[in-house]
Amino acid sequence: MKSKIQHLTKRQWIIWGGLLLTLVFVLLNKDIVTSLLLGDIDEVQLFLERNIGYSLFFMALVMLIQNSFTIFPLILVITINITLFGFINGFLWSWFTGVIASIIVFSGVRYVFQEIIIDKFNKGLIEKVDANGFAYVLQGRLFPFIPTSLINILSGLSTIRIVPFTVATAIGNFLYFFVLALIPAGILSSEVDEFVIFGIVFVTILIYYVMKYVKHKKKATEKVETLD
């Protein structure tokens, strides 16, 4: 055990330290965390609106937990952010912290927990991420059926580089979070949100594959011209 501790890299020390601090913070704020688990938005708002700086930090931590284990519904996290900070600021804070949290979980899995958990996941799923990379992450962010934490973990176990992972996460989260943000803002009703989400998913994926096809065709044409 002592030997393993001595061989921890600086990056691993930071990740383990961050996990320990997160655990301590959750234990110190167990009442508000319990309210979150119960979906009691009023209680959470009453507790957090006293200190905006603390609220920003707390909701960032909640987003990190959501990206690690998906125990809080994403719509609940976004709703609380919008209630506390307003529509624009709440949406942007949700999006920004969502991207940062995804990167943290991705890095934690890749550099600390990969050897421990890789055998617990289907190799076929990991190979899909390897094969599709950016497209897999983007679709995963847009489709509401795939847990956020699962996308982060599978990506960390795969060979996808952090830049395409981050870009796909940023684009996918921006679109999906914006649609979810319309519900607590009263612009979109919960009864029709699925149709809007599916519409955005379809259009986004269609645009992506059209661009991919055009790019592939352009490369093929350039290759033929070079041979000529």
Side-chain angles (χ1 to χ4, degrees):
M1 182 68 179
K2 186 177 180 181
S3 177
K4 288 184 178 180
I5 293 176
Q6 290 176 341
H7 284 85
L8 286 176
T9 65
K10 184 178 180 181
R11 184 178 288 163
Q12 290 173 328
W13 273 112
I14 292 173
I15 292 173
W16 276 112
L19 286 172
L20 180 60
L21 290 174
T22 300
L23 178 61
V24 171
F25 186 82
V26 169
L27 291 175
L28 292 175
N29 294 272
K30 60 181 180 179
D31 292 338
I32 190 65
V33 171
T34 301
S35 297
L36 266 172
L37 290 171
L38 296 174
D40 191 344
I41 296 177
D42 293 334
E43 185 66 27
V44 175
Q45 181 184 1
L46 184 65
F47 179 84
L48 293 178
E49 63 185 2
R50 303 167 190 165
N51 189 321
I52 295 299
Y54 183 82
S55 300
L56 289 168
F57 175 74
F58 183 85
M59 292 311 298
L61 185 59
V62 168
M63 186 63 81
L64 176 60
I65 295 173
Q66 200 276 340
N67 273 266
S68 303
F69 307 105
T70 317
I71 58 176
F72 304 121
L74 184 57
I75 182 63
L76 175 64
V77 180
I78 294 175
T79 298
I80 294 173
N81 277 332
I82 289 176
T83 303
L84 290 170
F85 313 123
F87 177 75
I88 298 297
N89 292 333
F91 159 67
L92 290 176
W93 188 244
S94 299
W95 173 68
F96 175 74
T97 54
V99 174
I100 297 301
S102 294
I103 295 172
I104 292 173
V105 177
F106 171 91
S107 301
V109 170
R110 175 156 296 182
Y111 299 112
V112 178
F113 303 108
Q114 188 171 45
E115 294 181 0
I116 302 173
I117 66 175
I118 193 167
D119 292 332
K120 295 177 172 56
F121 288 85
N122 188 301
K123 290 184 178 179
L125 289 175
I126 300 173
E127 289 172 358
K128 283 184 179 180
V129 185
D130 288 334
N132 299 290
F134 180 92
Y136 185 91
V137 176
L138 179 61
Q139 292 177 44
R141 298 304 183 194
L142 291 170
F143 279 106
F145 321 109
I146 305 176
T148 303
S149 56
L150 182 59
I151 300 170
N152 297 332
I153 293 171
L154 289 175
S155 297
L157 295 174
S158 73
T159 58
I160 184 175
R161 293 180 296 111
I162 192 168
V163 172
F165 170 81
T166 302
V167 173
T169 297
I171 295 172
N173 279 6
F174 189 91
L175 294 170
Y176 185 54
F177 281 30
F178 182 75
V179 173
L180 291 182
L182 297 177
I183 299 173
I187 300 172
L188 186 67
S189 67
S190 58
E191 287 76 18
V192 299
D193 71 305
E194 290 184 1
F195 297 101
V196 177
I197 291 172
F198 286 133
I200 291 177
V201 169
F202 176 77
V203 171
T204 304
I205 293 176
L206 179 63
I207 292 173
Y208 170 77
Y209 279 109
V210 168
M211 291 176 64
K212 189 175 181 180
Y213 172 77
V214 171
K215 187 177 180 180
H216 178 74
K217 195 171 182 180
K218 185 178 179 181
K219 283 185 177 180
T221 302
E222 290 175 351
K223 188 176 181 180
V224 171
E225 290 177 350
T226 302
L227 292 174
D228 292 341

